[in-house]
Amino acid sequence: MKQPRPMEDAARARDILLRRAVLAAVLCFLLLGAVVARVAWLQVTAHERFVNLAEQNRTRIEPIPPARGLIHDRNGVVLADNAPSFQVELVPEQVPDMEATLAHLARVLVLDEADLSRFRKALKSGKSFDSIPLKLNLDEEEIARLAFERPRLPGVEVQARLTRVYPHVERVSHVVGYVGRINEREMQVIDAEAYRGSSHIGKTGLERFYEDRLHGKVGYRKLEVDAHGRTLRVLEEVPATSGEDVHLTLDLRLQAVAEAALGDFLGAIVAIDPRNGEVLAFVSKPGFDPNLFVNGIRTGDYKALIENPDRPLFNRALAAAYPPGSTVKPVMGLAGLEYGLITPEYRMFAGPHYQLPGQDHKYRDWKKGGHGWVDLDHAIAQSCDVFFYDLAHRMGIDRMHAFFSEFGLGRPTGIDLPGEVSGLMPSREWKRAARNQIWYPGETLIAGIGQGYMLATPLQLAQMTATLARRGEAVRPHLSRDAVMDPLAPIKLRREAYWDVVLGGMDHVINSDYGTARALKGGPYRMAGKSGTAQVFTVKQSESYDEKRLSRKLHDHAVFVGFAPVEQPRIVVAAFVEHGQHGSSTAGPIVRRVMDGWLLGDFELKAAEVNDKAETD
């Protein structure tokens, strides 16, 4: 029979009960503290975040892209415009299944791989609440199909946007440039907030150079939405600020005259006002249709442009560096006077060729029988090579480099366009650094007539001629009427009379009975200029240049620079005609035609053609 268990000690039982009560109290206190801490964190620390999350459940911020500023010529003609179009956009956070939605849209719209690729790249770099365009320029049928499918496509919207339009197509394509869709590389460098809701950015020309002015400032619209993301009402709206319009110095009428003057030739023409540097015409032929690039150029169209042997995408006025030929001879003569190597009265006998002392190589003159006795005036007017061979030999390449650089050769002009090349004004130091070779005396001779390593753009030749016409008062070419350009230091000579001698020679190129371009003489204003020929290939000593036996692509390039009126110049024109053979007979009349347009207002017919072109295109 079991013995009854002894009664537990009452004091011990109370002690156990007390410990358990204390433990329970501590646990309750800790749990209460955690709750209080969590509530404090929610109410204080994370208050703004959760308020925003709650707000985002009922509201949505929609960016309002700004209207891009327009580009006008000097007379107010619109060169870059905005036109309404419709595009389909997706807001990622409102799309439950992105791949399924894209597959659905591919059955409704015609989507190519480029559209999908651009969208996916933007999707990775953009924010979930930003509207991302998928396809631009929807037609009416596509809009109707999307409206029918809209209830089954959450997060998909059709938006009315403005798209860029270039009404004059090729005529100003190299000046105005074009806009295009923002690519992945550009997304890494632009201000994402400034471009929220925007899909395009300036790619080339003025569209790129003045992007900050043209783009404008993004606005936003705060919308109240239901649980499915549908808009209920607009709570707040801050309108976008449109981009600034850019007004150019360019005259579209003169641009048309210059383009027509080139005829079937390829080349470039630059006309500027020597008094202030305003660019009046800026032609690179052929041009291209910039409208093709706005919403993504098709592969076939781009391939056709790239493979075109005439290189329509190449801006010849700005980025093509050609040998300037004899157009630099007035500057050479001025340098000879300034360095004291010749005087206005200095004369030399210029035979059919020139030889360096102790050498057999003959540097030929363009005139087979030579020019006989010539001074600087006749040497410029008749473009006597032998005179300038001799002057170059005595001057040396380093002094030539220093003097020509003052006229802007060998460095960019600083025009308000991207992509300008510097050309090349060679020197001993340049050849040693670039080619690790010494400079040869024969190279100095051919540089003295603008051949060899010397290279210049048509824009640089226009600036050089403007500096001559203004007797050393240099100007920087610009296209925007309110462009702020750094001033250029004037060129000071030991004697002002030197300008008279050289400018007199340029005047006699045309207005004498011995000048190379005397066929241009006459008319209601007096014009001065200088012809030039840029060699395409070097003729060997044992050979002669026979243009009749050569294909056109091997013909020399024709160059001509001029200014008018001689007494008070108001226009300078530089024309470069590829494979035009002769500066005087080919490029000279082109320059004269452009001057007639500006000085005589002889472009009324061309203005009508401009309007017709804008309407039909």
Side-chain angles (χ1 to χ4, degrees):
M1 188 172 178
K2 292 183 178 180
Q3 295 294 327
R5 300 177 75 180
M7 297 289 294
E8 291 185 1
D9 183 43
R12 183 170 177 271
R14 287 195 301 273
D15 185 53
I16 292 172
L17 181 61
L18 180 61
R19 286 201 299 272
R20 289 175 178 174
V22 170
L23 179 59
V26 170
L27 289 175
C28 288
F29 179 78
L30 290 175
L31 289 173
L32 180 61
V35 171
V36 171
R38 178 63 175 173
V39 171
W41 182 80
L42 290 172
Q43 292 293 325
V44 180
T45 306
H47 172 76
E48 186 175 350
R49 174 172 176 265
F50 283 99
V51 167
N52 290 337
L53 288 175
E55 184 70 9
Q56 288 176 15
N57 285 333
R58 76 175 192 91
T59 63
R60 182 173 78 242
I61 301 297
E62 183 179 272
I64 304 175
R68 193 170 181 85
L70 307 183
I71 300 178
H72 306 261
D73 86 334
R74 69 187 298 120
N75 300 309
V77 179
V78 177
L79 307 181
D81 204 354
N82 298 320
S85 68
F86 292 90
Q87 60 189 47
V88 60
E89 301 178 358
L90 286 76
V91 180
E93 68 178 8
Q94 297 176 19
V95 179
D97 188 335
M98 184 60 73
E99 291 305 318
T101 299
L102 290 176
H104 192 162
L105 285 170
R107 294 191 294 272
V108 178
L109 307 172
V110 178
L111 296 176
D112 56 33
E113 192 56 39
D115 291 326
L116 293 170
S117 176
R118 280 191 292 264
F119 176 81
R120 288 193 169 95
K121 288 179 180 179
L123 186 63
K124 291 179 181 179
S125 58
K127 297 179 180 178
S128 63
F129 50 80
D130 278 343
S131 184
I132 302 175
L134 175 62
K135 183 176 182 180
L136 311 180
N137 285 343
L138 301 177
D139 59 35
E140 293 182 0
E141 185 178 344
E142 289 174 317
I143 295 171
R145 288 200 298 264
L146 277 172
F148 181 78
E149 297 289 335
R150 177 67 185 82
R152 291 173 288 280
L153 293 170
V156 178
E157 299 285 348
V158 174
Q159 298 287 355
R161 304 289 191 195
L162 293 175
T163 189
R164 204 61 158 175
V165 175
Y166 302 100
H168 303 287
V169 198
E170 296 185 6
R171 182 152 288 147
V172 288
S173 55
H174 288 289
V175 181
V176 174
Y178 58 84
V179 300
R181 285 176 141 185
I182 301 173
N183 58 39
E184 190 173 7
R185 178 183 57 81
E186 290 162 338
M187 285 295 298
Q188 304 302 317
V189 297
I190 64 174
D191 183 348
E193 287 300 315
Y195 280 83
R196 282 188 61 191
S198 298
S199 57
H200 289 69
I201 194 170
K203 299 284 188 177
T204 64
L206 292 165
E207 290 278 29
R208 178 180 171 186
F209 192 91
Y210 287 113
E211 171 65 23
D212 291 343
R213 287 175 54 184
L214 291 164
H215 175 64
K217 185 178 180 181
V218 68
Y220 70 87
R221 185 182 294 113
K222 188 175 183 180
L223 307 174
E224 185 177 8
V225 297
D226 62 16
H228 299 286
R230 296 187 181 91
T231 300
L232 299 177
R233 62 191 176 109
V234 178
L235 300 176
E236 182 183 358
E237 182 171 329
V238 176
T241 302
S242 298
E244 298 178 38
D245 288 356
V246 174
H247 297 269
L248 305 184
T249 62
L250 198 78
D251 191 309
L252 189 62
R253 300 170 302 172
L254 191 66
Q255 187 84 354
V257 168
E259 182 185 48
L262 275 170
D264 294 332
F265 285 107
L266 308 182
I269 299 174
V270 177
I272 65 175
D273 188 332
R275 299 169 297 181
N276 49 31
E278 291 185 353
V279 177
L280 308 175
F282 193 94
V283 172
S284 176
K285 191 175 183 180
F288 61 94
D289 184 358
N291 295 293
L292 296 174
F293 290 86
V294 175
N295 294 316
I297 187 169
R298 295 184 181 278
T299 302
D301 292 334
Y302 187 67
K303 184 179 180 181
L305 289 171
I306 292 297
E307 294 180 353
N308 189 327
D310 293 338
R311 299 186 297 168
L313 296 178
F314 185 48
N315 190 338
R316 288 164 163 82
L318 187 75
Y322 305 96
S326 297
T327 60
V328 301
K329 287 176 179 176
V331 179
M332 271 295 296
L334 201 62
L337 293 169
E338 179 66 10
Y339 290 135
L341 300 174
I342 58 174
T343 65
E345 297 78 22
Y346 170 81
R347 300 176 73 225
M348 69 167 285
F349 185 82
H353 61 264
Y354 183 84
Q355 289 178 272
L356 288 168
Q359 293 190 14
D360 295 330
H361 187 89
K362 297 178 180 180
Y363 296 88
R364 291 176 290 196
D365 195 285
W366 70 267
K367 190 174 183 180
K368 291 184 178 180
H371 296 268
W373 288 95
V374 294
D375 57 11
L376 178 57
D377 174 85
H378 281 70
I380 293 174
Q382 297 179 31
S383 200
C384 176
D385 291 334
V386 168
F387 184 96
F388 291 100
Y389 286 147
D390 179 71
L391 180 57
H393 174 60
R394 293 191 287 133
M395 189 181 302
I397 189 61
D398 292 325
R399 286 199 288 186
M400 287 170 57
H401 174 85
F403 197 81
F404 274 74
S405 296
E406 291 192 59
F407 282 82
L409 298 186
R411 63 188 180 200
T413 66
I415 192 175
D416 45 347
L417 277 177
E420 183 183 10
V421 301
S422 61
L424 176 61
M425 185 57 223
S427 65
R428 295 177 191 276
E429 182 181 351
W430 165 80
K431 192 179 180 188
R432 185 167 51 249
R435 301 185 174 227
N436 195 28
Q437 296 175 354
I438 62 171
W439 185 265
Y440 295 102
E443 294 170 334
T444 302
L445 267 59
I446 59 175
I449 61 168
Q451 304 288 352
Y453 294 119
M454 188 186 297
L455 300 171
T457 67
L459 179 62
Q460 288 174 322
L461 293 183
Q463 184 186 43
M464 176 195 78
T465 307
T467 304
L468 283 168
R470 294 278 294 173
R471 297 170 177 265
E473 295 293 330
V475 293
R476 197 181 299 278
H478 60 276
L479 281 154
S480 173
R481 299 201 75 165
D482 57 355
V484 179
M485 310 301 289
D486 295 332
L488 296 173
I491 298 173
K492 299 294 184 181
L493 301 182
R494 291 184 297 117
R495 294 179 58 187
E496 285 295 310
Y498 293 159
W499 295 108
D500 296 328
V501 177
V502 170
L503 295 177
M506 295 182 72
D507 179 41
H508 293 153
V509 167
I510 298 168
N511 302 297
S512 71
D513 56 4
Y514 53 86
T516 57
R518 55 188 176 274
L520 300 176
K521 182 168 56 175
Y525 62 88
R526 193 176 181 94
M527 167 187 172
K530 183 68 190 79
S531 59
T533 301
Q535 292 181 344
V536 174
F537 66 97
T538 301
V539 180
K540 296 180 181 179
Q541 285 279 289
S542 58
E543 298 176 349
S544 60
Y545 178 82
D546 186 355
E547 62 190 37
K548 295 180 180 179
R549 299 175 58 185
L550 296 172
S551 65
R552 180 167 173 174
K553 66 180 181 180
L554 293 177
H555 287 171
D556 291 339
H557 302 314
V559 197
F560 199 94
V561 297
F563 61 89
V566 170
E567 303 79 11
Q568 293 182 325
R570 301 202 307 272
I571 184 172
V572 163
V573 183
F576 199 100
V577 185
E578 291 187 0
H579 311 297
Q581 299 183 23
H582 306 294
S584 296
S585 59
T586 303
I590 291 174
V591 170
R592 184 75 184 210
R593 179 70 187 91
V594 176
M595 289 183 173
D596 285 348
W598 187 247
L599 297 175
L600 306 180
D602 184 15
F603 39 51
E604 290 185 9
L605 179 61
K606 296 303 175 184
E609 292 175 1
V610 168
N611 294 331
D612 292 341
K613 181 73 171 174
E615 291 172 6
T616 56
D617 289 317

